[in-house]
Amino acid sequence: MNSSNIIETPEELDSFRTQIRRFVERELAPHVDEWDEAGELPRDIYRKAGALGILGLGYPEEYGGTSASLAMRSIAIQEIARAGSGGLFVCLFTHSIFVQPMIALGTEEQKQRTLPSILAGESIAACAITEPSGGSDVANLRTRARLDGDHFVVDGEKTFISNGVRADYYAVAVRTGGEGARGISMLLIERDRPGFSRTALKKMGWWTSDTATLHFDACRVPVANLMGKEGSGFRTLMENFNGERLLMADEACSFAEVCFEEALAWARERETFGQPLIRHQVVRHKLVDMKMRLTSTRTWIEQATARMDAGDRSDPFIAELCMLKNHAGQTMRWCADQSVQLLGGMGFMRGMKSERIYRDVKGIMIGGGAEDILKELAANKLGY
Ligand SMILES: Cc1cc2nc3c(=O)[nH]c(=O)nc-3n(C[C@H](O)[C@H](O)[C@H](O)COP(=O)(O)OP(=O)(O)OC[C@H]3O[C@@H](n4cnc5c(N)ncnc54)[C@H](O)[C@@H]3O)c2cc1C
C-alpha cells in the first residue's frame, strides 16, 4: 500500500461518504441476501463500483485510479460494510491484493494490460499464495514454475483463493528458485491459459464471494508475465500483507459497528416485560460494552491509517498492524455475538445483518494471516 501525502478537506470526505452511502442504500443493500444465496456478485456491480471510483481509490491515475488518502478509502470501507455482507465486501476489495504487487513489481506492459480494466470493474483480479500444504508458512510454498525457453511451466495448487472462480487475472506466488523465501517469484496468469483450472469451494461465510482451489498442470506462462525480478516475490508479498491487514482491521471494525447499530435499533423497538429492551439495565450495559470496544478499535484504526498514509513502515508499526488486525477481529466477533444474542430468535434468522456477520467473522480471523501467526510476527518485529 502506498503512502499518499493527500489530505482531503472534511467537506470532501463528507461528500464522498454521502455519495457512497447513497450507492450502498440504492444498489447494494436491497440485494445482498439474494447475492449471498446465489453465491456470486453480478458483474454489473463491479462496473458500478468502478465508475464511482471505489475500486481505484488511492491508485495511480495513469492506470485508472483516483488520488485519495487511506482515510478516504476507510470511508468507502465503512460505507460498503453497511450493506452487512462480508462476501460483497470481499468481492469489491480483493483486487487490492493483486493491484499492490502489480504496481510494485509489474512491467509497464503488464500494468497497462491489467490495471485500467480492474479498477474500472471490467475485469476481476485475484492473488494466489496459499496452498493445500499450508498458508501461514509462505516461504515454503511448493507451486513450481520451471523455465522452458521463453515460457515458465507451472505445476501445483493454490487454495482458498478469493475471486478464485471468476477472476480474469491472477497474481500467483510460485517457486522459480531454490528452497525458502528467496526462491519465490510472482507470475501474472490469465484465466484462459491451457493447464489452468479451478474448483469452487463452499464456505461458512462470505457466500457472495467465490472462493476456489486453483490447479496448474503443466500450465505454460510466457516469461513476459514474470512480475519483477526472479526471487523478488516474498518481500513484496510481505509488504502487501501490511496493507491487507489494515484493510481487514477496518473491515472488521466496520462490520462490528453494523452489528452495534442493528442491536441498538432492536433494543429500542423490541418490548419484553412491558418495556423496551433498552430499559433493562443489563441490555444497556451490553450496548455500552460494545460501544467501548468499537471506540477503542476505531480510534486505533484512525491512528494506524494516518501513520500508513505518512509512510511509516517501521518494525514497531508492522507489529502494530498485526495486533490491530487481531484486535479488530476480536471486536467484530464479540459484537456479532452480543448482537445475535440481543436479537434473540431473530438473530438466528437469515436476513439479519448480525446473523451473516457472525458467520463471516472467521474469514477475518483466519484470512490475511491467522491470529497466532500475527502474534508471532508482532513479537518478532518487537524483538521479544
Ligand atoms: C475465506 C478465505 C479467503 C481467503 N482468500 C485468500 C486469497 O485470496 N489468497 C490467498 O493466497 N489465501 C487466501 N486465504 C488463505 C488464508 O490466507 C490462509 O487460510 C491463512 O493464511 C492460514 O493458512 P492455512 O489455512 O493453510 O492454515 P495453516 O497455515 O495450516 O495454519 C493452521 C492454524 O495453525 C496456526 N499455526 C500455524 N503455524 C503456527 C505456529 N508456528 N505457531 C502457532 N500456530 C500456528 C495458524 O494460526 C492457524 O490457525 C483465504 C482464506 C479464507 C478462509
Side-chain angles (χ1 to χ4, degrees):
M1 184 181 302
N2 300 322
S3 48
S4 71
N5 293 326
I6 293 166
I7 301 175
E8 294 88 1
T9 63
E11 293 73 28
E12 283 170 328
L13 294 174
D14 281 351
S15 146
F16 180 68
R17 188 184 287 281
T18 306
Q19 193 189 8
I20 306 295
R21 186 164 294 191
R22 206 173 295 141
F23 172 63
V24 171
E25 283 168 0
R26 287 183 189 166
E27 306 271 358
L28 305 183
H31 306 291
V32 290
D33 293 337
E34 178 195 325
W35 295 335
D36 236 23
E37 297 296 337
E40 73 175 45
L41 185 68
R43 284 250 177 185
D44 196 34
I45 299 299
Y46 291 89
R47 290 190 196 99
K48 286 181 178 172
L52 265 178
I54 295 171
L55 306 182
L57 277 181
Y59 296 124
E61 289 176 17
E62 66 257 44
Y63 306 122
T66 324
S67 66
S69 66
L70 291 171
M72 183 88 128
R73 191 192 65 169
S74 176
I75 288 177
I77 292 169
Q78 292 165 45
E79 294 302 318
I80 299 289
R82 288 176 70 83
S85 166
L88 163 72
F89 189 98
V90 172
C91 286
L92 292 182
F93 285 97
T94 289
H95 71 294
S96 65
I97 57 174
F98 172 99
V99 172
Q100 202 56 37
M102 177 54 80
I103 288 175
L105 293 177
T107 63
E108 194 52 32
E109 184 279 324
Q110 290 167 2
K111 290 178 192 175
Q112 291 294 353
R113 182 150 54 99
T114 60
L115 295 178
S117 71
I118 291 166
L119 300 184
E122 297 290 340
S123 304
I124 296 176
C127 180
I129 306 163
T130 306
E131 304 189 341
S133 59
S136 305
D137 190 4
V138 176
N140 281 315
L141 61 81
R142 297 177 184 174
T143 297
R144 188 156 276 289
R146 180 176 49 83
L147 198 56
D148 179 27
D150 57 359
H151 281 72
F152 285 105
V153 181
V154 183
D155 284 289
E157 283 193 330
K158 298 286 172 184
T159 196
F160 311 145
I161 306 307
S162 300
N163 285 353
V165 180
R166 298 201 302 160
D168 302 288
Y169 298 113
Y170 298 76
V172 184
V174 292
R175 185 164 299 287
T176 50
E179 296 304 303
R182 291 197 182 154
I184 296 173
S185 305
M186 296 300 293
L187 265 188
L188 169 65
I189 303 187
E190 301 87 346
R191 71 171 290 112
D192 52 3
R193 292 257 158 226
F196 177 20
S197 59
R198 298 150 283 270
T199 311
L201 298 169
K202 292 200 165 185
K203 318 184 285 299
M204 176 196 279
W206 288 2
W207 293 349
T208 301
S209 158
D210 55 294
T211 310
T213 296
L214 316 182
H215 315 274
F216 299 99
D217 184 10
C219 174
R220 292 182 74 79
V221 180
V223 168
N225 276 20
L226 181 68
M227 295 164 62
K229 290 194 181 121
E230 263 191 72
S232 65
F234 187 80
R235 214 184 143 84
T236 304
L237 287 175
M238 293 303 115
E239 169 72 9
N240 198 22
F241 283 142
N242 294 330
E244 187 186 14
R245 281 164 199 153
L246 179 61
L247 176 98
M248 290 181 83
D250 206 337
E251 173 188 357
C253 184
S254 302
F255 280 114
E257 284 158 356
V258 171
C259 290
F260 172 78
E261 280 186 23
E262 193 168 58
L264 178 63
W266 184 260
R268 286 190 166 131
E269 187 190 312
R270 178 79 171 173
E271 292 199 359
T272 65
F273 301 95
Q275 55 181 348
L277 274 179
I278 200 162
R279 299 275 40 96
H280 301 290
Q281 187 185 44
V282 72
V283 171
R284 286 199 301 280
H285 287 192
K286 261 187 194 176
L287 291 165
V288 169
D289 279 341
M290 289 168 90
K291 194 73 183 166
M292 178 183 76
R293 285 169 167 82
L294 288 170
T295 306
S296 65
T297 311
R298 177 56 64 199
T299 306
W300 193 0
I301 288 168
E302 284 171 0
Q303 193 192 85
T305 302
R307 281 177 74 177
M308 188 74 116
D309 254 337
D312 192 343
R313 299 294 181 276
S314 63
D315 280 356
F317 183 54
I318 291 173
E320 199 172 295
L321 290 173
C322 295
M323 293 185 287
L324 176 57
K325 177 178 172 276
N326 282 353
H327 183 69
Q330 287 168 16
T331 299
M332 177 177 170
R333 181 179 59 184
W334 199 85
C335 289
D337 185 33
Q338 296 301 309
S339 179
V340 166
Q341 195 68 27
L342 221 148
L343 288 161
M346 276 312 286
F348 203 67
M349 296 297 135
R350 296 268 177 86
M352 300 306 288
K353 290 176 179 172
S354 301
E355 181 269 338
R356 184 185 292 112
I357 293 169
Y358 187 86
R359 284 187 285 106
D360 286 344
V361 71
K362 280 292 170 188
I364 296 273
M365 299 180 87
I366 294 169
E371 272 202 348
D372 301 310
I373 296 301
L374 294 189
K375 283 184 199 173
E376 199 52 29
L377 180 58
N380 178 289
K381 294 287 179 190
L382 292 169
Y384 297 163

